[in-house]
Amino acid sequence: MSLLKPTVALRSVTDISIELLKKLDTDAILLDVDNTLAPPTTHVPYDGVQEWIDRIKGSGIHIVICSNNYTRRIKPFSDSVGLDCVAMSFKPFPIGFIRAKRKLKEKPQSVLVVGDQVYTDILGANLAGMKSILLVPQSEEKGLSIKIRRRMEKGVRKKIKLLDEGD
Ligand SMILES: [Mg+2]
């Protein structure tokens, strides 16, 4: 269970406050895209996401997009929201996180992984020794592999309390 456990769980990316990031000692965020920032089928971010990105960047915290999706999907999206990216990052394997960390200008003391999947984002963060925030997937999902992964996540998610619902 512990390798599958996020540091914090929240409903959506826009619920992540600068205060919480400071509390977690975050210098840099490695950020997922699909179902975290935008629906897998479009390049349009969810409401408030662009403003959230600008606010976090403005606070001096670095953000690099780190996604398992293809470059042709991730690069145009990252450009449109003004972020650097690593596509095809093979989460939960550490290779993508290592590549993403290299893109950061300053060497971060503390890197936080943010995403919506337990078996890619959260397991990957724990394997890499990084803190993590698990989000609730924001869009309806189609396709067999994601449905299998969501079924696998169910037991883990049941044991995790969203920060805004508890103490
Ligand atoms: Mg995702």
Side-chain angles (χ1 to χ4, degrees):
M1 169 69 186
S2 67
L3 274 178
L4 302 175
K5 207 179 164 210
T7 313
V8 174
L10 286 169
R11 195 164 299 280
S12 85
V13 76
T14 53
D15 291 336
I16 302 173
S17 65
I18 291 168
E19 290 71 35
L20 176 64
L21 294 173
K22 295 235 160 96
K23 221 165 117 185
L24 296 173
D25 283 324
T26 305
D27 293 323
I29 300 173
L30 307 184
L31 190 56
D32 178 52
V33 174
D34 294 326
N35 264 321
T36 291
L37 300 182
T41 47
T42 81
H43 287 302
V44 183
Y46 298 119
D47 280 352
V49 162
Q50 184 68 64
E51 292 79 2
W52 178 83
I53 289 171
D54 295 341
R55 204 164 54 242
I56 300 302
K57 279 168 76 179
S59 78
I61 294 168
H62 303 271
I63 308 176
V64 177
I65 280 180
C66 194
S67 167
N68 281 358
N69 212 329
Y70 298 105
T71 306
R72 66 169 185 272
R73 151 85 176 142
I74 297 309
K75 182 75 170 78
F77 177 83
S78 304
D79 288 347
S80 75
V81 295
L83 293 174
D84 217 339
C85 72
V86 170
M88 295 192 70
S89 60
F90 300 107
K91 293 179 277 186
F93 299 103
I95 178 78
F97 291 152
I98 292 166
R99 280 162 60 205
K101 262 180 89 174
R102 270 195 214 132
K103 285 182 180 277
L104 297 163
K105 284 170 200 91
E106 293 147 47
K107 204 166 179 246
Q109 298 294 317
S110 177
V111 177
L112 176 78
V113 173
V114 174
D116 69 296
Q117 285 196 52
V118 171
Y119 282 90
T120 55
D121 305 302
I122 306 307
L123 176 59
N126 286 328
L127 288 174
M130 294 170 179
K131 290 174 190 159
S132 60
I133 295 183
L134 177 66
L135 305 173
V136 175
Q138 302 293 300
S139 302
E140 205 196 318
E141 295 163 314
K142 291 177 186 133
L144 187 61
S145 78
I146 186 66
K147 281 189 177 152
I148 291 168
R149 270 175 285 154
R150 290 300 181 206
R151 188 162 291 188
M152 286 164 64
E153 284 184 5
K154 250 187 179 171
V156 179
R157 280 192 185 269
K158 257 190 207 157
K159 292 181 198 155
I160 297 167
K161 216 174 177 186
L162 292 179
L163 191 64
D164 56 351
E165 286 181 351
D167 30 27

